[in-house]
Amino acid sequence: MGSLEDLRELNRLRVVDELRLRGSASRGEIAAATGLSRTTVTTLVADLQQRGLVIEIPGERHARGRPPLHLRLDALAGAALGVDFGHRHVRVAVADLSSTVLEERRVELDVDGSAAAALDVAAALSLELLARAGIDPARVVGAGMGLPGPLDARTARVGSAMILRGWAGLHAARELERRLGVPVSVDNDANLGALAETSLGAGRGMRDVIYVKVSSGIGAGLVAGGRLHHGATGIAGEIGHVRVREDGAVCRCGNRGCLETVASAPALLESLRPAYGSDLTVRGMLDLAVGGNLGAQRVIEDAGRAIGRAVADLCNSLNPEAVIVGGELSAAGAALVHGIRESVDRYAQPGAAEAVRVLAGRLGERAEVLGALTLVIGDTERLSSAGLAPLRDARAVPV
Ligand SMILES: [Zn+2]
């Protein structure tokens, strides 16, 4: 860093970012938004046009005179893949470089058991979606991947043998890279949900946020001072394994009475099945709750209270402006958010409780895959370290 070319590269990325945010803009608008001079913007845009990343389109015609020329990213210049693994599903999305999702699919799958099998499915699905979107795999600039377990921030390997048993010690990003032939970035799923909700969803513009993902597992993504907080080794936000019952059921992590054994989707199904039949699914439970069924609503609200108890402690430590509730169960409606709110009010310090809003996420169960895409196309630092030039060179690399 520090050389003139580095600075120019950084400024090019600022222009790309501005176009990503706005969709299209004139050179003057980009100059105003970035604080770069008009001349600098003109030079940078010429570079980007030459690389085939930016194209000119006619802007809106005003009362008189020529319509101003607008710029936008050339959607065909590149594409990104997002891969979101849950414990029981994989969701893959293909987006162009303006973050528009072109194709997306979710497949039910036992992810925990075999990493190799799950990665094979994700890679095959990626190629299938690229074909459906009419995108040459050689144009993919990278993939982002989310995993439902802790990742060691020092080694990027999957940290816990108990939480993702078939993945322990695996360098998951490298494994997917080998299958797809493109650079892969990986993070914990709740961290990706936090990234997506704070850049595109309910927490847009917020700098201190706790994102809680409630699905077949429970985890939190922490955003502090506008940045994802991973902690020293990547465990930050693992609230699913906070002990809430001394003599509770044994958890997949090996402890007893973890929050997940009480408030995750499988735990809730367990308590509803005696009354609503052994074939009740998560979808069925959510439909019951949204339809006003008191039993389902009660179970979900209780889960919210249990989660809120753990979140209240986090609120004392982190003093966030919002708790954003995402994951599969966030589709349950108000019950889950109410339960969390109630416990935060009861157990957090009054000052911390007053400062925090508890909100339903806006991106639903797509948050994680959108976060995975954001890892690739939304982060200037990552794009910068990957270099913008590979966008063009990538076309020549066979996958
Ligand atoms: Zn546990």
Side-chain angles (χ1 to χ4, degrees):
M1 270 312 192
S3 80
L4 211 57
E5 186 44 40
D6 287 342
L7 184 64
R8 198 163 154 150
E9 183 69 17
L10 210 63
N11 285 337
R12 272 195 289 263
L13 286 165
R14 288 169 73 188
V15 172
V16 167
D17 249 14
E18 211 46 49
L19 291 175
R20 202 169 273 143
L21 272 175
R22 293 162 170 257
S24 73
S26 68
R27 288 172 178 79
E29 286 166 345
I30 295 172
T34 56
L36 297 167
S37 77
R38 180 76 195 240
T39 323
T40 307
V41 168
T42 301
T43 314
L44 296 171
V45 164
D47 281 359
L48 291 168
Q49 281 179 306
Q50 208 193 349
R51 294 187 192 194
L53 286 172
V54 165
I55 53 175
E56 265 179 349
I57 50 169
E60 271 172 49
R61 184 180 287 280
H62 293 292
R64 47 183 167 299
R66 273 191 314 146
L69 280 174
H70 273 220
L71 303 157
R72 70 170 173 77
L73 293 174
D74 184 354
L76 297 176
L81 283 164
V83 177
D84 164 45
F85 284 107
H87 289 290
R88 293 171 184 201
H89 77 266
V90 60
R91 182 189 289 267
V92 177
V94 176
D96 66 27
L97 290 186
S98 66
S99 299
T100 304
V101 173
L102 305 170
E103 290 287 342
E104 183 175 341
R105 223 182 116 196
R106 177 191 153 115
V107 172
E108 300 298 319
L109 185 71
D110 172 19
V111 169
D112 299 12
S114 164
L119 287 161
D120 285 346
V121 170
L125 201 53
S126 300
L127 293 178
E128 185 192 319
L129 294 184
L130 286 172
R132 268 189 5 209
I135 301 230
D136 182 347
R139 288 192 177 169
V140 175
V141 295
M145 169 167 58
L147 289 176
L151 285 151
D152 192 314
R154 298 160 300 185
T155 61
R157 288 177 189 275
V158 177
S160 169
M162 304 300 277
I163 295 174
L164 266 174
R165 62 182 191 281
W167 296 66
L170 194 75
H171 199 301
R174 211 173 283 156
E175 287 297 314
L176 189 61
E177 255 167 36
R178 206 161 53 71
R179 288 167 171 81
L180 290 175
V182 299
V184 175
S185 307
V186 65
D187 206 335
N188 168 268
D189 59 350
N191 288 343
L192 294 184
L195 190 62
E197 286 287 358
T198 50
S199 49
L200 310 162
R204 218 169 160 161
M206 295 183 187
R207 297 179 57 78
D208 294 279
V209 169
I210 297 172
Y211 170 83
V212 188
K213 182 190 173 190
V214 191
S215 294
S216 47
I218 298 175
L222 312 177
V223 175
R227 296 187 71 93
L228 265 181
H229 177 72
H230 291 92
T233 63
I235 313 264
E238 276 295 318
I239 60 165
H241 303 278
V242 167
R243 178 181 284 201
V244 296
R245 279 189 198 156
E246 285 292 323
D247 55 352
V250 172
C251 178
R252 63 177 143 211
C253 76
N255 284 339
R256 279 191 87 162
C258 292
L259 181 58
E260 273 194 15
T261 65
V262 171
S264 63
L268 304 197
L269 283 178
E270 196 92 332
S271 56
L272 284 168
R273 276 177 178 152
Y276 296 95
S278 58
D279 53 355
L280 183 68
T281 59
V282 175
R283 188 68 259 164
M285 171 173 70
L286 293 172
D287 288 345
L288 282 174
V290 171
N293 180 285
L294 288 179
Q297 285 182 348
R298 179 159 299 164
V299 161
I300 290 168
E301 196 163 331
D302 286 347
R305 286 198 195 93
I307 295 164
R309 179 73 187 83
V311 168
D313 291 344
L314 273 179
C315 286
N316 282 347
S317 310
L318 296 173
N319 185 204
E321 55 192 306
V323 170
I324 298 176
V325 186
E328 217 175 352
L329 284 194
S330 66
L336 188 65
V337 171
H338 279 167
I340 295 176
R341 177 81 251 179
E342 210 180 289
S343 280
V344 168
D345 285 339
R346 185 179 304 173
Y347 296 108
Q349 266 191 50
E354 272 164 32
V356 71
R357 295 157 71 197
V358 181
L359 307 167
R362 231 178 252 159
L363 307 173
E365 48 172 330
R366 296 180 68 223
E368 283 71 25
V369 83
L370 295 175
L373 288 168
T374 305
L375 269 190
V376 184
I377 51 188
D379 186 331
T380 28
E381 267 175 48
R382 268 170 208 272
L383 259 192
S384 176
S385 62
L388 260 183
L391 293 184
R392 185 185 45 177
D393 299 345
R395 297 180 190 183
V397 179
V399 174

